[in-house]
């Protein structure tokens, strides 16, 4: 269902353990790790292990996978103590949103008040 991963995809390489990361969660389908440039006291990323360049490439049949990401995000946020204080889930898609890594990833940010609207 997912596209063949480009050999040099950064997040595929992190999932494969070729590039070190601070892993916060892993199961058969998902991988979560701390963002290397945290924008908030809590800032981690969740990716599907399967390679999709962005939300634009995810087929509708993969809805369960997307749902699972949200539930794992919620669970990890709770474990990190920000379930009640609040957190933001960000999915940057393509150029205007500022996507820089083309393996779909959800940012989970919290631990401080987050401004709205974003810049
Ligand atoms: P985006 O701008 O939505 O594509 O976000 C890419 C995110 O990946 C940024 O927040 C980066 O700080 C983060 N990032 C880039 N390289 C790494 C890495 N090696 N380990 C962890 N996070 C990374
Ligand atoms: Zn990838």
């Amino acid at each position: 269902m997912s596209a063949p991963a480009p050999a040099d995809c950064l997040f595929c390489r992190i999932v494969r353990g070729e590039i070190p990361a601070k892993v916060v969660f892993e199961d058969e389908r998902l991988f979560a790790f701390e963002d290397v440039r945290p924008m908030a006291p809590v800032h981690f990323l969740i990716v599907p292990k399967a390679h999709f360049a962005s939300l634009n490439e995810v087929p509708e049949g993969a809805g369960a996978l997307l749902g699972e990401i949200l539930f794992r995000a919620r669970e990890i946020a709770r474990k990190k103590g920000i379930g009640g204080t609040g957190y933001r889930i960000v999915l940057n898609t393509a150029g205007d949103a500022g996507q820089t890594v083309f393996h779909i990833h959800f940012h989970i940010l919290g631990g401080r008040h987050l401004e709205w609207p974003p810049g």
Side-chain angles (χ1 to χ4, degrees), residues 8 12-13 16 30-31 35 43 54 58 70 72 75 77-78 80 83 86 105 107 109 113-114 117-118:
D8 58 349
C12 283
R13 296 193 67 198
R16 290 196 296 263
L30 304 181
F31 198 86
D35 196 292
H43 185 181
S54 81
V58 179
L70 295 180
R72 287 298 82 73
E75 185 179 292
R78 266 195 208 129
K80 285 184 172 282
H105 52 280
H107 297 254
L109 299 135
H113 179 76
L114 299 164

Side-chain angles (χ1 to χ4, degrees), residues 9-110:
C9 170
L10 176 63
F11 288 172
C12 283
R13 296 193 67 198
I14 286 178
V15 166
R16 290 196 296 263
E18 293 169 12
I19 292 176
K22 289 186 188 158
V23 182
V24 300
F25 175 85
E26 178 174 13
D27 68 10
E28 316 83 72
R29 290 171 300 280
L30 304 181
F31 198 86
F33 52 100
E34 305 288 353
D35 196 292
V36 77
R37 280 186 63 223
M39 296 295 157
V42 175
H43 185 181
F44 62 94
L45 305 173
I46 303 187
V47 307
K49 289 185 169 178
H51 179 88
F52 301 100
S54 81
L55 181 63
N56 287 339
E57 283 73 34
V58 179
E60 296 221 356
L65 180 69
L66 295 180
E68 215 177 306
I69 289 172
L70 295 180
F71 291 126
R72 287 298 82 73
R74 179 179 72 177
E75 185 179 292
I76 299 165
R78 266 195 208 129
K79 286 186 178 154
K80 285 184 172 282
I82 57 166
T85 50
Y87 54 95
R88 183 172 294 163
I89 299 178
V90 174
L91 175 54
N92 292 323
T93 303
D96 278 356
Q99 184 178 1
T100 58
V101 178
F102 287 85
H103 178 129
I104 188 173
H105 52 280
F106 292 66
H107 297 254
I108 293 81
L109 299 135

